[in-house]
Amino acid sequence: RAPLADFEEKFISLNYESDNKIIKEIFCRIKMVNPNDGQCLPKSSAMVFALDPSLKKDTWNTEHWLAQSSDQELLDKLDNKEDVHNIGNLLLISSSLNSHIQNMAPTAKVNYINTNEKARLLVDQSLTDFIDEYKEFHDNWNSDVINKRAKKLAKACYNIFWRDNYLTQGS
């Protein structure tokens, strides 16, 4: 196991354009693990988030919280335009929900999720937790917030989610 500093450096450099498969795996793993104790959820709960490489179209999409095609005014809040593809700006959401919110601004996404009954049915606990945790930043989603979230995710993955707790056939 690498030291935290080395792990964090590699983790926060993950980029949607070159590392999307790895990023999807990371976010699926996060969704499959209890964040309080680092143990895999019961198989019936965890399997919802398992990726199936044989599928031509996934049921889960990597979503840019600040969309790649956002208004220039929103993209101008980024110190580095590549931060839009940084893991700190990414979430794993259902493909059905993504089809509705993909190009909205962060505040519009939150509003849609909170006010649309069908959207609320597609939201899992980790998305709800993310929205609550970052509620004061949705109006000003910028490089600083993205980079802090990337570091927080790295530490959580290193300390909680990166245990040997994948589902096994016996689980």
Side-chain angles (χ1 to χ4, degrees), residues 24 27-28 31 49 51 58-65 90-103 109 113 119 122-124 126-128 130-131 149:
K24 274 182 118 169
F27 282 122
C28 281
K31 289 178 180 286
F49 305 110
L51 296 175
D58 283 332
T59 55
W60 295 98
N61 293 152
T62 309
E63 166 67 1
H64 289 76
W65 191 242
L90 303 173
L91 302 161
L92 193 70
I93 65 172
S94 75
S95 57
S96 298
L97 180 58
N98 191 32
S99 69
H100 294 285
I101 68 168
Q102 60 187 351
N103 292 320
K109 290 177 182 182
I113 289 167
L122 298 170
V123 173
D124 64 275
S126 66
L127 179 55
T128 300
F130 165 81
I131 289 170
R149 180 169 181 259

Side-chain angles (χ1 to χ4, degrees), residues 65-67 70 72-90 106-107 130 134 136-150:
W65 191 242
L66 175 62
S70 292
Q72 193 60 45
E73 180 182 330
L74 294 173
L75 292 172
D76 285 343
K77 292 181 180 183
L78 299 178
D79 298 332
N80 177 348
K81 300 303 179 209
E82 285 302 306
D83 285 343
V84 76
H85 299 300
N86 182 281
I87 193 167
N89 186 46
L90 303 173
T107 52
F130 165 81
Y134 291 93
E136 65 186 81
F137 301 107
H138 298 306
D139 285 331
N140 193 26
W141 196 254
N142 59 34
S143 291
D144 186 49
V145 177
I146 290 168
N147 291 315
K148 283 180 180 176
R149 180 169 181 259

